[in-house]
Each structure stands twice: as structure tokens, then as C-alpha cells.
């Protein structure tokens, strides 16, 4: 009897262990165009030959799946077949996801494709790229930063390895549309050095994304040519979807690395509501010490919570809140004897003290009106606060430029101060209706903006960098005198912005889709009305080959900081661009495609600064840009993915001041990116990325010595003789990443190492002139390593 009891007990343990090593996959399949449930769709797990079909609510569930990573195929009559890679099944838990299917707009369906959000959508026929959550995570050198992950796409350039902001097709970092869960945001980065560049905006953008790793669930990026639904920015369109909470089971994960820690909680809080929350804190003290950089303190945090509630069969409500504080500073106490102010990244003799934060809260209600239409209503509040204080110290130096005594000549903590506080309350209502061969999208946006801005110079200052054409009372005076009256600005006002738009997607034939649209905008601070007609289309040559095109007018609102710096009688206009794109795509297989596009842009009414040290701007600028992009993309399927891209680009500007055309700061003639990721088994993932680009434009100049005619107070001056007349050295970087995961009964343990620029080539982003020595300090980045562990329960 005892023998049988032991046998039964052992069998029960075996069964329990077997049951505990399995999980489930549950989700809802909906149409992308109408958000209606797809009934009878087939969900099939390729690796283990398990599957299920959706019910009348579009719900499916597959149970008893052994823990591991799987590829899933989703198909339904009348829809494009969709593949999902890296569905992670965890012991005792349910993986939940809401999945959208695109309507199959053609009868030429011999090839199914690896469909991601927004790709192969007739409404977005040109330059559309998507990233899944797993692809963002695997992107080497990005360290989970979505903005850095985008830098490998064709036509996209970054400001160098130390920046995460992107510039697209001959325009700047401030000219991209950013949407987070359909909420417009103008800045997605930390550490944007407003005021550091002679007191004005830094064109390079921010250094790090405000989103922690694994927060963004899906990405859609369109490199120009976007439809009339989106506006007020003219360069590119980036839509980020924050992960929804798992409606079935809870999970808790933590990542701990060289820069700090990230905690994520994900799960249901009621039968109808789920929550996803993350908290990240980063501090660069350890990394600065490791890289032996100039001493300073840099820290920031990112805190996010999102709830999703299925109110009933027709209404789904999500709420999102974000708080993103940052605190970098460098004081006189950080300055040490022996530091050479000519060294790379020395910062010269600048002191800074910055406090800032971004806040967002929004509600998004999606309502299914009937079987062919739905409406989205979005209500949001966002704010941004910046309090920047810049100072200067005047050390004694030896003959090589090394600091003997940082406090020798005194120091000032608040020579310049900038306060830039923005608040915006907005409402968006977007209606979509599908007819037989036509899809209609129409909507309105309304925003009330408050801008409280102040820029102060505490005393008359001497500026030792100037252009040959800048006014100087005496041509032999090789410097400029900046008085508070020329620099100071105060602005505190409200303005209303309103928009209306309509866009059509007309399936003229099974092979040809045409997308006309028009957008109207009213910009309160400019008191300007604009109308933007746009047109795009897609022609299927056969089941593998297609042509696409887009053209239209795009307007760019003036930057708030620029508006605030003008006198009451100088009202800036919106900048205008006219864009044209022609492209060709071949789908080699379900997960491999090649895209080639040529594009052209014409600019007018550009805001230009006649004197770079004064706040006065006008709209006398014009310009043009043109280029071509080639891209071969292998989407994530089975165990590897990658891309190869090449971009050619020229971008010229003219301030119409008699000096003629010059290279725009983001005019990069040649860019090459190669990236790949390989997963040999369930434990290891290896990724690599190589990037090359032509060096960025920089000014041609001459240096004048002893410009104060005082050998006891030696100062040098830099006179710019040609704007962006030279180029910095080419950018070359090789990034490597390795991830190792060990599944455990309680969850998963992972370790990773991510190395940016493993060869330690110092990639120069810009040059900083040092008036104390007459030398140049290069601003850039060599190797940038991080490593850490991740635990998921």
C-alpha cells in the first residue's frame, strides 16, 4: 500500500510540475480601420501546432502552452495575414494582447506579409516603418531608448551618439510630430540644453528618451508625406503606443544597470480594468567616473501609469499619466585644479544649474458606433517647466590650458537665466467611417495654450564668437557687446489653436488606392489661418511590386521660445514646406521587403536670426532639400531580424541676407546603417549595429588673439567667415549587445551588456570655442557602455 501511495504521490507531483510549466495566450482580434471584433479569425502557434478561433466578441484563448518564446500566425478571410514574433509564455500566467488586422484591399493575395502596426496600410503608402516591443528591446546601442532605435531608419539622422533626438529628411529635431496614445507632445527627450547655446535653443534636441525600456508596445514612423489628420509639425510623424496592462494575470519586473533602476508592474485591478505602471531613476555619476569625463551631476526620472477599462462591448477607456523630472547641474565645486578646459567635452568655463519636468495626463475613449464606424475622443493636459541658470568662472590657466585655480578670477552662478513654462489643455475628436470602397476620417483639434517665459541677462556681457556680417560699431572690434536690452525677454500669455481635417482613402480599383485630404489650422500666437491640401496613393503592379507617392503642403508652428523672444510688434508666421515623394517597394517574402524612395522639399517663411546673440527673428528664410533612401528590412520572425539602409541627402538654407545658400546643420549627404539580431536559443540573444554618416556641417572661421588689448586678461575671438562652410569628421560607430536569460519557476532572470561605439572612436557632434585659450573643445562621445540585470516575476 505504501508503495502504491508513493507512486501516486510521485505521479501527482509530476502532473503538478507539468501543469505549472505551462501558460496561456489570450487576446482580442479587431479590425484596424473600424475597431470592430473579427469573428472566426484563426490564431495559430507555429512552433507547437496549437491554435484557436475567435468568438463573436473577437476573443480567443489557447491554453496549456509550454513556457517559452513563440511565433504566432493570425489569419482571417478578407484581412492581411499577421505574424507576431516573440510571444513569451510564462509558467502559470496568461499572455494577453489586443491585435489589429488590416483589411486585404486587393485580390492579389499570393504573398502574405509580416504585418506590423501601420505597415501595408493604404492610408499610409509611403515611408512607413514599425517597431514591435521586442525589436526596440533588441536594438543594440539604443539601450531600450525608442528615439535611438529610430536612428537606423533611412532618411533619419541623430545629433551624434550622445543624443536621442532625431532629424528627418533635411529638417530639424523640433519639426517632428509626436503622438503618445493619440496625445500630441512636442518633446520626448530629457536634457535638452535650452539656453546653453549663447542663450538660445540647442538644435540637437535631448539626450535620452522619457520612456523606460519595455514601456512602448508599438511604434509607427512615417518619414514625411503623412495625411491631413496630423499637422503643426512638418517633417515626420511618430506614433507611440504605451503598453496596456495584462487583463488576465500580474507580472512584476525590475531592471538594474549602470545608470539606475526601472520597476514595472502589469496586471488586472478589476474584471474590466488593467493597469501598467513603470518607474525609472537614472543617475550618471558612475558612468561619468568610468569615462573620466568632466565632473557634473546628471539625474532624471520617468514615472508612468496607464489604465485600460473595457466599459462595455462598444466603449473602451484608457487613462495615462506621466511625470518626468530632471536635474543636471555643474557648480564651481565641480571644477578641479588640473582640468584642461581645451579637452573634449570640457564645457569650457560654463557653469549650469537646471531644473525641469514634463507632466501629462490624458483620457482616450474609443466608441464603436456601428459595424462600419467608430469615434475617438481624447482629452488631455500637458505641462513643461524649465528653469535654467548659466554661469561662468574665470580660472587661472597654465600654458597648456590646465586650470591652476578655478576660483582665481571669480565666478558667477546666474549670468543668464531662462524660465520656460508651458501648459496646454487639449481636446481631439476623430471619426472614422468605412464604406464599400472608401474610408473617411474627419476630426477636430482644440487647444488652449499658456506660455510663461522669461529670459534674463544679469549684466552686459562680451561675446567672443560672431559672424563677419554681424554688426559691430568698429570693424576692428573682434567681439560683440551684449546688453540686457538686446537679450532680455518676458512673455506671459494664452492662445487658442484649432484644427479641422478630412482625409479619404478611396480604393479606385483592386490595384490603385488614392488618398486625398485637406487640413485647416488656426494658430493663435501667430493669428494665422492656413490650409494644407495633401494627396498620396499606392499602385500595386502585382502581388509583390508596388509604387507609391505623396505630395502636399505642410505648416510648422513657430517654437514657443521663439515667439516669446519677440517684441510686441514682431509676430512670427508659420513656416511652410511643399513636399513630394515617389517610391517603389518589392515584397520578397512574408518578412523581407525592399523600399526605395526619392523625395524633394521646398521651404519658405523660415524663421531666421539675423544676429545670433540677439532674440530678434524674422521669416525671411527659404531653402530646399532633396534625397533618396534605400532600405532592405528583414522583420523579426523565427530567431533573427535586421536591416540595411542607405540615404543620400542635401539640405540648403538661405537667410536672404545677401550671403547666399549654406548647408543646413542636418544636411548629411551619405548615411549607411546595418543592423542585425540573432537568437540561437531561448537563453542567448546577440545584436550588432554599424552606422556611418558624413560629418555634420560646421562653421568656417578665423581666430583673433588679444581682442581686449590686455595681456593680463588674454581673450581670443572666433569670427565665422562661412556658415557651415566646413564639415566635422565622419561619424562611425559599431554597437554590440548581448542578452542572457534563464527561466525559473518563479519567473525569468536576465543579464545584458550594451556597448555603444565599441571601438571608442570619438565622434564629434559640434565644436565649442574657448575664449580663454583660443582653442576648440570638441563635443561628442566615445564608447558608452552599460550593463545590468533584469528580473521578471
Amino acid at each position: 500500500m505504501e508503495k502504491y501511495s508513493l507512486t501516486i504521490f510521485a505521479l501527482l507531483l509530476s502532473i503538478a510540475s507539468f501543469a505549472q510549466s505551462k501558460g496561456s495566450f489570450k487576446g482580442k482580434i479587431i479590425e484596424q480601420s473600424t475597431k470592430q471584433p473579427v469573428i472566426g479569425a484563426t490564431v495559430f502557434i507555429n512552433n507547437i501546432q496549437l491554435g484557436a478561433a475567435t468568438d463573436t466578441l473577437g476573443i480567443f484563448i489557447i491554453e496549456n502552452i509550454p513556457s517559452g518564446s513563440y511565433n504566432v500566425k493570425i489569419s482571417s478571410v478578407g484581412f492581411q495575414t499577421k505574424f507576431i514574433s516573440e510571444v513569451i509564455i510564462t509558467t502559470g500566467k496568461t499572455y494577453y494582447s489586443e491585435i489589429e488586422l488590416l483589411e486585404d484591399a486587393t485580390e492579389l493575395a499570393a504573398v502574405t506579409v509580416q504585418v506590423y502596426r501601420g505597415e501595408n496600410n493604404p492610408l499610409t503608402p509611403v515611408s512607413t516603418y514599425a517597431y514591435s516591443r521586442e525589436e526596440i528591446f533588441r536594438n543594440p546601442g539604443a539601450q531600450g531608448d525608442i528615439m535611438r532605435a529610430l536612428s537606423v531608419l533611412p532618411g533619419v539622422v541623430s545629433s551624434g551618439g550622445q543624443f536621442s533626438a532625431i532629424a528627418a529628411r533635411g529638417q530639424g529635431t523640433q519639426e517632428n510630430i509626436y503622438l503618445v496614445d493619440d496625445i500630441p507632445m512636442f518633446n520626448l527627450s530629457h536634457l535638452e540644453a535650452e539656453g546653453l547655446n549663447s542663450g538660445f535653443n540647442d538644435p540637437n534636441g535631448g539626450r535620452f528618451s522619457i520612456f523606460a525600456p519595455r514601456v512602448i508596445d508599438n511604434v509607427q514612423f512615417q518619414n514625411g508625406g503623412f495625411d491631413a489628420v496630423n499637422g503643426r509639425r512638418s517633417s515626420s510623424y511618430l506614433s507611440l503606443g504605451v503598453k496596456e496592462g495584462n487583463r488576465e494575470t500580474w507580472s512584476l519586473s525590475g531592471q538594474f544597470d549602470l545608470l539606475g533602476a526601472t520597476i514595472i508592474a502589469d496586471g488586472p485591478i478589476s474584471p474590466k480594468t488593467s493597469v501598467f505602471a513603470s518607474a525609472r531613476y537614472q543617475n550618471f555619476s558612475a558612468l561619468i567616473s568610468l569615462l573620466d569625463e568632466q565632473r557634473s551631476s546628471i539625474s532624471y526620472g520617468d514615472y508612468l501609469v496607464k489604465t485600460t477599462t473595457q466599459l462595455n462591448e462598444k466603449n473602451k477607456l484608457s487613462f495615462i499619466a506621466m511625470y518626468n523630472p530632471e536635474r543636471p547641474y555643474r557648480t564651481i565645486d565641480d571644477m578641479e585644479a588640473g582640468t584642461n578646459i581645451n579637452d573634449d567635452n570640457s564645457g569650457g568655463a560654463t557653469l549650469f544649474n537646471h531644473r525641469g519636468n514634463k507632466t501629462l495626463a490624458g483620457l482616450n475613449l474609443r466608441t464603436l458606433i456601428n459595424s462600419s464606424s467608430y469615434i475617438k475622443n481624447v482629452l488631455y493636459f500637458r505641462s513643461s517647466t524649465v528653469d535654467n541658470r548659466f554661469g561662468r568662472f574665470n580660472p587661472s590657466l597654465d600654458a597648456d590650458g590646465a586650470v591652476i585655480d578655478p576660483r582665481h578670477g571669480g565666478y558667477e552662478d546666474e549670468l543668464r537665466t531662462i524660465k520656460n513654462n508651458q501648459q496646454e489643455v487639449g481636446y481631439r475628436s476623430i471619426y472614422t467611417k468605412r464604406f464599400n470602397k472608401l474610408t473617411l476620417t474627419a476630426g477636430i483639434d482644440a487647444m488652449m495654450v499658456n506660455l510663461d517665459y522669461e529670459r534674463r541677462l544679469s549684466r552686459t556681457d562680451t561675446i567672443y564668437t560672431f559672424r563677419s556680417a554681424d554688426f559691430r560699431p568698429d570693424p576692428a572690434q573682434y567681439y560683440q557687446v551684449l546688453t540686457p536690452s538686446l537679450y532680455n525677454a518676458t512673455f506671459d500669455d494664452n492662445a487658442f489653436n484649432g484644427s479641422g481635417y478630412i482625409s479619404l482613402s478611396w480604393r479606385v480599383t483592386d490595384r490603385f488606392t488614392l488618398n486625398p485630404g485637406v487640413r485647416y489650422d488656426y494658430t493663435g500666437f501667430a493669428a494665422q489661418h492656413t490650409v494644407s491640401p495633401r494627396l498620396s496613393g499606392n499602385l500595386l503592379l502585382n502581388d509583390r511590386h508596388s509604387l507609391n507617392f505623396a505630395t502636399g503642403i505642410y505648416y510648422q508652428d513657430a517654437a514657443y521660445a521663439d515667439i516669446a523672444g519677440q517684441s510686441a510688434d514682431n509676430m512670427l508666421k508659420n513656416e511652410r514646406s511643399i513636399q513630394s515623394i515617389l517610391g517603389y517597394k518589392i515584397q520578397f517574402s512574408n518578412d523581407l521587403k525592399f523600399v526605395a524612395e526619392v523625395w524633394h522639399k521646398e521651404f519658405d517663411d523660415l524663421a531666421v536670426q539675423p544676429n545670433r546673440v540677439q532674440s530678434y527673428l524674422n521669416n525671411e528664410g527659404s531653402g530646399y532639400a532633396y534625397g533618396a533612401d534605400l532600405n532592405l528590412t528583414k522583420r523579426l520572425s523565427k530567431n533573427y531580424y535586421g536591416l540595411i539602409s542607405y540615404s543620400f541627402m542635401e539640405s540648403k538654407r538661405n537667410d536672404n541676407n545677401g550671403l547666399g545658400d549654406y548647408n543646413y546643420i542636418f544636411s548629411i549627404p551619405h548615411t549607411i546603417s546595418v543592423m542585425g539580431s540573432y537568437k540561437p536559443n531561448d537563453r542567448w540573444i546577440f545584436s550588432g549595429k554599424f552606422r556611418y554618416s558624413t560629418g555634420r556641417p560646421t562653421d568656417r572661421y578665423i581666430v583673433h588673439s588679444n581682442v581686449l588689448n590686455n595681456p593680463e586678461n588674454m581673450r581670443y575671438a572666433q569670427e565665422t567667415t562661412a556658415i557651415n562652410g566646413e564639415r566635422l569628421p565622419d561619424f562611425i560607430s559599431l554597437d554590440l549587445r548581448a542578452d542572457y536569460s534563464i527561466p525559473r519557476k518563479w519567473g525569468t532572470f536576465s543579464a545584458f551588456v550594451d556597448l555603444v561605439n565599441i571601438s571608442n572612436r570619438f565622434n564629434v557632434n559640434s565644436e565649442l570655442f574657448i575664449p580663454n585659450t583660443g582653442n576648440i573643445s570638441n563635443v561628442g562621445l566615445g564608447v558608452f557602455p552599460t550593463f545590468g540585470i533584469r528580473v521578471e516575476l
Side-chain angles (χ1 to χ4, degrees):
M1 182 69 178
E2 182 178 354
K3 178 180 179 181
Y4 288 113
S5 298
L6 289 174
T7 301
I8 293 172
F9 180 69
L11 180 60
L12 289 174
L13 281 178
S14 176
I15 293 172
S17 176
F18 179 76
Q20 290 172 358
S21 65
K22 294 189 175 184
S24 303
F25 179 29
K26 185 177 181 180
K28 184 176 183 178
I29 310 297
I30 63 174
E31 299 182 34
Q32 181 165 308
S33 61
T34 64
K35 311 305 178 185
Q36 300 290 332
V38 178
I39 302 171
T42 300
V43 182
F44 189 74
I45 302 177
N46 296 332
N47 314 50
I48 55 175
Q49 309 299 303
L50 288 178
T54 57
D55 60 17
T56 56
L57 299 178
I59 302 293
F60 70 89
I61 183 169
I62 305 174
E63 299 178 312
N64 295 322
I65 306 172
S67 59
S69 175
Y70 297 97
N71 300 318
V72 175
K73 176 182 177 181
I74 304 169
S75 59
S76 183
V77 176
F79 294 91
Q80 298 178 25
T81 299
K82 185 164 189 171
F83 294 85
I84 302 177
S85 300
E86 296 295 323
V87 172
I88 309 297
I89 302 300
T90 306
T91 299
K93 296 183 179 180
T94 299
Y95 182 103
Y96 184 89
S97 180
E98 183 175 278
I99 303 163
E100 296 183 350
L101 293 185
L102 273 167
E103 182 185 9
D104 192 353
T106 175
E107 296 176 359
L108 302 173
V111 175
T112 59
V113 297
Q114 187 91 354
V115 180
Y116 283 76
R117 182 181 178 89
E119 290 193 316
N120 303 298
N121 186 346
L123 282 167
T124 57
V126 296
S127 306
T128 303
Y129 298 92
Y131 275 125
S132 67
R133 192 171 180 231
E134 185 66 21
E135 287 175 325
I136 300 169
F137 166 71
R138 288 196 191 186
N139 196 297
Q143 299 168 349
D145 188 322
I146 176 56
M147 306 303 288
R148 293 175 185 270
L150 291 171
S151 67
V152 300
L153 294 179
V156 176
V157 297
S158 68
S159 301
Q162 70 198 106
F163 294 89
S164 72
I166 60 171
R169 287 185 172 174
Q171 295 186 252
T173 60
Q174 306 297 320
E175 299 172 56
N176 307 302
I177 292 174
Y178 297 134
L179 292 179
V180 177
D181 283 358
D182 296 312
I183 298 173
M185 296 184 69
F186 293 152
N187 190 319
L188 299 180
S189 298
H190 282 293
L191 311 179
E192 184 170 359
E194 182 175 350
L196 184 61
N197 183 22
S198 300
F200 299 96
N201 289 337
D202 186 343
N204 298 303
R207 272 70 170 171
F208 298 91
S209 165
I210 61 175
F211 297 102
R214 293 187 172 273
V215 167
I216 299 301
D217 188 54
N218 55 77
V219 178
Q220 182 183 341
F221 177 77
Q222 195 167 353
N223 205 344
F226 45 87
D227 62 24
V229 175
N230 300 292
R232 299 195 175 275
R233 292 290 184 269
S234 62
S235 179
S236 70
Y237 164 82
L238 176 63
S239 175
L240 304 179
V242 176
K243 186 182 183 305
E244 293 186 355
N246 191 320
R247 294 180 56 184
E248 300 297 319
T249 53
W250 273 96
S251 65
L252 180 67
S253 65
Q255 178 171 308
F256 309 91
D257 55 45
L258 184 62
L259 300 180
T262 302
I263 305 296
I264 294 178
D266 178 7
I269 56 177
S270 77
K272 291 186 175 182
T273 302
S274 64
V275 64
F276 177 85
S278 73
R280 174 173 70 166
Y281 175 75
Q282 305 273 266
N283 190 305
F284 285 72
S285 299
L287 183 61
I288 290 172
S289 177
L290 178 66
L291 299 178
D292 195 27
E293 293 283 355
Q294 179 69 43
R295 284 181 56 188
S296 59
S297 177
I298 301 175
S299 63
Y300 58 80
D302 299 296
Y303 309 98
L304 176 147
V305 61
K306 177 179 179 178
T307 63
T308 306
T309 304
Q310 192 69 49
L311 300 174
N312 50 46
E313 292 183 10
K314 293 186 177 296
N315 291 279
K316 179 180 177 180
L317 177 68
S318 66
F319 166 78
I320 187 171
M322 296 169 53
Y323 177 60
N324 310 98
E326 56 188 50
R327 182 75 173 94
Y329 61 87
R330 184 170 71 170
T331 69
I332 192 65
D333 295 328
D334 295 312
M335 301 299 102
E336 297 180 331
T339 300
N340 195 309
I341 65 174
N342 300 318
D343 287 346
D344 292 337
N345 292 329
S346 71
T350 301
L351 306 175
F352 58 88
N353 192 341
H354 166 72
R355 294 179 184 271
N357 67 72
K358 300 176 182 66
T359 304
L360 172 72
L363 289 169
N364 190 324
L365 177 64
R366 188 184 74 193
T367 301
L368 306 183
I369 298 175
N370 53 42
S371 61
S372 61
S373 64
Y374 76 100
I375 189 169
K376 285 190 296 186
N377 287 287
V378 182
L379 180 65
Y380 66 91
F381 167 81
R382 72 170 187 92
S383 71
S384 172
T385 65
V386 171
D387 185 359
N388 281 350
R389 302 167 189 272
F390 299 95
R392 186 180 300 154
F393 69 107
N394 300 294
S396 57
L397 305 174
D398 66 17
D400 295 323
V403 174
I404 299 173
D405 180 2
R407 300 172 184 263
H408 167 77
Y411 64 93
E412 299 171 274
D413 286 326
E414 298 184 8
L415 176 59
R416 299 195 312 268
T417 59
I418 291 179
K419 180 180 73 172
N420 186 356
N421 298 333
Q422 304 172 20
Q423 294 182 326
E424 178 176 302
V425 177
Y427 170 71
R428 307 186 72 206
S429 184
I430 306 172
Y431 170 77
T432 300
K433 170 73 172 179
R434 189 180 67 187
F435 300 93
N436 182 27
K437 291 192 175 183
L438 187 74
T439 298
L440 164 71
T441 302
I444 58 170
D445 297 348
M447 293 153 280
M448 181 58 69
V449 182
N450 173 258
L451 175 58
D452 181 6
Y453 185 91
E454 184 177 27
R455 185 171 65 235
R456 290 291 173 190
L457 180 68
S458 64
R459 59 165 176 81
T460 299
D461 194 16
T462 305
I463 307 301
Y464 296 100
T465 298
F466 63 95
R467 297 172 180 170
S468 298
D470 288 344
F471 171 76
R472 307 187 309 280
D474 181 357
Q477 175 185 300
Y478 297 118
Y479 56 86
Q480 287 187 296
V481 176
L482 180 63
T483 64
S485 62
L486 295 176
Y487 179 86
N488 291 356
T490 302
F491 188 93
D492 189 358
D493 201 0
N494 301 294
F496 172 78
N497 293 338
S499 305
Y501 40 86
I502 184 169
S503 182
L504 302 175
S505 181
W506 176 28
R507 202 174 84 190
V508 182
T509 69
D510 284 338
R511 294 175 179 262
F512 182 49
T513 302
L514 199 61
N515 306 306
V518 64
R519 179 182 179 91
Y520 161 79
D521 290 294
Y522 172 74
T523 305
F525 284 130
Q528 185 177 2
H529 304 265
T530 59
V531 177
S532 309
R534 299 173 191 175
L535 178 68
S536 67
N538 177 264
L539 174 64
L540 293 171
L541 303 176
N542 54 41
D543 58 356
R544 294 180 183 271
H545 303 263
S546 62
L547 297 175
N548 56 64
F549 70 91
T551 188
I553 297 176
Y554 297 80
Y555 285 93
Q556 170 90 14
D557 286 0
Y560 289 157
D562 291 342
I563 292 170
Q566 308 310 302
S567 59
D569 61 344
N570 183 35
M571 187 174 290
L572 292 177
K573 296 190 296 184
N574 295 337
E575 301 177 339
R576 188 180 72 161
S577 67
I578 302 174
Q579 303 182 16
S580 300
I581 303 171
L582 178 64
Y584 163 76
K585 182 177 76 171
I586 177 172
Q587 193 80 42
F588 292 107
S589 64
N590 70 319
D591 58 356
L592 181 65
K593 69 175 181 179
F594 172 78
V595 177
E597 289 187 345
V598 294
W599 55 271
H600 181 274
K601 297 180 180 181
E602 196 76 27
F603 307 110
D604 54 30
D605 293 332
L606 297 179
V608 295
Q609 189 176 13
N611 189 325
R612 69 167 67 184
V613 300
Q614 297 179 13
S615 60
Y616 172 74
L617 301 172
N618 61 44
N619 287 101
E620 297 298 322
S622 60
Y624 62 90
Y626 62 90
D629 298 326
L630 306 176
N631 177 256
L632 180 67
T633 301
K634 166 68 174 63
R635 298 315 304 258
L636 180 59
S637 63
K638 297 182 180 178
N639 55 2
Y640 62 95
Y641 87 107
L643 65 81
I644 301 173
S645 68
Y646 166 77
S647 297
F648 169 78
M649 174 176 61
E650 292 280 358
S651 183
K652 302 287 186 178
R653 297 294 170 95
N654 192 323
D655 294 353
N656 291 303
N657 56 4
L659 299 180
D661 291 351
Y662 61 89
N663 285 319
Y664 184 53
I665 190 172
F666 290 106
S667 180
I668 311 295
H670 304 286
T671 302
I672 298 172
S673 297
V674 180
M675 184 184 67
S677 176
Y678 177 61
K679 184 177 182 180
N681 51 53
D682 283 341
R683 294 198 172 188
W684 285 99
I685 301 175
F686 300 100
S687 305
K689 177 169 64 182
F690 172 79
R691 291 174 294 162
Y692 163 84
S693 65
T694 309
R696 290 178 58 185
T698 189
D699 292 341
R700 183 184 300 135
Y701 62 88
I702 57 176
V703 175
H704 302 279
S705 62
N706 195 18
V707 296
L708 300 180
N709 293 316
N710 181 1
E712 300 300 319
N713 186 22
M714 180 64 71
R715 288 294 183 269
Y716 299 81
Q718 181 189 48
E719 179 181 353
T720 298
T721 58
I723 300 172
N724 291 340
E726 303 287 349
R727 286 194 178 272
L728 297 172
D730 292 349
F731 176 92
I732 300 175
S733 179
L734 175 62
D735 309 335
L736 298 177
R737 180 180 176 112
D739 294 87
Y740 180 70
S741 299
I742 307 173
R744 292 286 186 249
K745 290 183 179 180
W746 44 262
T748 303
F749 172 84
S750 304
F752 69 92
V753 59
D754 199 352
L755 301 173
V756 179
N757 193 12
I758 191 172
S759 67
N760 200 24
R761 171 191 171 92
F762 190 84
N763 284 305
V764 182
N765 169 71
S766 59
E767 297 176 329
L768 177 65
F769 180 72
I770 310 296
N772 307 67
T773 65
N775 291 329
I776 292 290
S777 171
N778 292 315
V779 180
L781 189 69
V783 64
F784 187 89
T786 188
F787 49 85
I789 61 172
R790 184 172 180 271
V791 178
E792 183 170 358
L793 305 176

